[in-house]
Amino acid sequence: MSGSPAVVMRLVAAAHTVAEKAGTIVRKVLHTGELGIVEKTGANDLQTLADRLAQQSICASLSRRFPKITIIGEEDLPAEEISEDLIEKGHSEEILQQTCPAEYAGLKEEELVVWVDPLDGTKEYTEGLLDNVTVLIGIAYGGKAIAGVINQPFYNYQLGAGADLGRTIWGMPGLGTFGFQLQEVPGDRRIITTTRSHSNKVVTDCVAAMEPHEVIRVGGAGNKIIQLVEGRASAYVFASPGCKKWDTCAPEAILNAVGGKLTDMHGNAYRYDANVKHMNSAGVLAALRNHEYYMSRVPQSVLQALKAD
């Protein structure tokens, strides 16, 4: 490669190893059995010691190396000295070897916003539904998700002792996706993935309107987008506020990189600028293919219930 790698590629290369470190932290906390659970806004909105330590690790590791980027994490944590053993200094050499898409080659640190969900699927984590759990690091420029890193700390955990636990996938529109095999649901089947623990009548009415052959209810936004790109679901339909920008930034970048699309229920793109509100107020509608079909099926009552941002 000629010259030094572009800032955004250095950031993605760092985010990859930082996400793996966070995944290790998430596994270690579970192994100790001391989850340190606190309720944030209720029984379905939890925070554990793993959320706190993983976010400290991600934010401190990235801000130390890229002091001018804006990092927005899910957990509202007090400013405190971060212990050195939480700092990850490595990077993925493989990512640095990739050619940066021309449109991002000249980006500066201060133009980039990083959205972090240190543990997506916390409720499922506390209940032992470990395949729902992900670590999400999304990178945005000009309000758009331009790169995403997703670590699955417990990938392969069902295989038991001796299995190679965990994997990290990443992607960048204009470059591609890495760490998984893209697969699609057969074209004649509609399999909808939706929320496991945040359902209501509007959510279920909207899912029914898609005329699905099958409905999968699982936790975690990152997990649901992985289902789309690995051929286990055709669309992710969540007609409710509740999802936040740190839930969708990394997954959206990966979905876009394989030709998929994520919008609100009105078909509007979400923006990931540093100053936007965190809530995805008008729900989430994502599909690998045929996003327009799913859009066309959203009932008027759902659109009225969910005000566009």
Side-chain angles (χ1 to χ4, degrees), residues 4 33 46 87 113 129 141 143 171 182 216 226 244 258 278 291 305:
S4 62
L46 305 177
I87 303 296
V113 181
L129 298 168
Y141 161 69
L182 178 67
I216 304 170
I226 290 171
K244 312 272 194 340
V258 291
H278 297 162
H291 186 275

Side-chain angles (χ1 to χ4, degrees), residues 21 47 66 80 127-128 148 197 203 216 220 236:
K21 168 92 167 178
Q47 183 196 85
F66 304 94
E80 56 184 301
E127 295 172 4
S197 54
V203 171
I216 304 170
Y236 166 21

Side-chain angles (χ1 to χ4, degrees), residues 183-191 210-213 231 233-235 288-290 293-294:
Q183 293 181 56
E184 299 185 31
V185 172
D188 59 346
R189 283 186 65 70
R190 283 185 301 283
I191 303 174
M210 303 295 150
E211 298 186 338
H213 298 97
S234 332
L288 179 60
R289 305 284 177 255
N290 305 318
Y293 166 82
Y294 297 102

Side-chain angles (χ1 to χ4, degrees), residues 190-194 207 212-217:
R190 283 185 301 283
I191 303 174
I192 304 299
T193 184
T194 190
V207 167
H213 298 97
E214 188 184 340
V215 178
I216 304 170
R217 291 181 173 83

Side-chain angles (χ1 to χ4, degrees), residues 246-303:
W246 43 72
D247 293 310
T248 52
C249 185
E252 181 177 343
I254 289 171
L255 186 62
N256 286 349
V258 291
K261 190 172 183 180
L262 183 150
T263 66
D264 69 12
M265 299 309 291
H266 300 265
N268 302 318
Y270 280 115
R271 291 192 61 88
Y272 297 97
D273 308 274
N275 58 354
V276 295
K277 67 176 190 173
H278 297 162
M279 182 72 78
N280 292 334
S281 304
V284 174
L285 181 63
L288 179 60
R289 305 284 177 255
N290 305 318
H291 186 275
E292 303 74 18
Y293 166 82
Y294 297 102
M295 273 295 314
S296 73
R297 305 289 310 174
V298 178
Q300 205 54 43
S301 58
V302 169
L303 296 177

Side-chain angles (χ1 to χ4, degrees), residues 82-280:
I82 306 299
S83 101
E84 276 304 308
D85 64 343
L86 290 177
I87 303 296
E88 171 57 57
K89 299 188 173 90
H91 61 257
S92 162
E93 198 55 49
E94 195 181 316
I95 294 176
L96 289 185
Q97 300 304 322
Q98 299 285 342
T99 302
C100 182
E103 61 195 297
Y104 308 136
L107 299 185
K108 300 182 179 71
E109 267 185 47
E110 54 268 35
E111 296 177 296
L112 299 170
V113 181
V114 178
W115 292 89
V116 174
D117 190 337
L119 202 172
D120 184 37
T122 302
K123 185 169 163 51
E124 287 70 26
Y125 177 66
T126 65
E127 295 172 4
L129 298 168
L130 302 177
D131 50 340
N132 290 201
V133 173
T134 58
V135 174
L136 306 175
I137 305 178
I139 298 167
Y141 161 69
K144 291 190 171 63
I146 65 163
V149 176
I150 301 180
N151 176 269
Q152 290 175 284
F154 301 102
Y155 181 73
N156 275 346
Y157 87 103
Q158 296 99 329
L159 299 181
D164 199 6
L165 261 191
R167 70 168 172 176
T168 304
I169 71 176
W170 69 280
M172 199 171 182
L175 180 58
T177 54
F178 305 83
F180 69 97
Q181 195 66 48
L182 178 67
Q183 293 181 56
E184 299 185 31
V185 172
D188 59 346
R189 283 186 65 70
R190 283 185 301 283
I191 303 174
I192 304 299
T193 184
T194 190
T195 185
R196 174 181 163 265
S197 54
H198 298 88
S199 206
N200 58 40
K201 188 174 186 310
V202 174
V203 171
T204 53
D205 284 354
C206 192
V207 167
M210 303 295 150
E211 298 186 338
H213 298 97
E214 188 184 340
V215 178
I216 304 170
R217 291 181 173 83
V218 293
N223 179 39
K224 293 184 189 74
I225 297 298
I226 290 171
Q227 289 186 318
L228 298 187
V229 299
E230 292 199 316
R232 294 195 296 279
S234 332
Y236 166 21
V237 180
F238 182 47
S240 173
C243 224
K244 312 272 194 340
K245 299 294 185 302
W246 43 72
D247 293 310
T248 52
C249 185
E252 181 177 343
I254 289 171
L255 186 62
N256 286 349
V258 291
K261 190 172 183 180
L262 183 150
T263 66
D264 69 12
M265 299 309 291
H266 300 265
N268 302 318
Y270 280 115
R271 291 192 61 88
Y272 297 97
D273 308 274
N275 58 354
V276 295
K277 67 176 190 173
H278 297 162
M279 182 72 78
N280 292 334

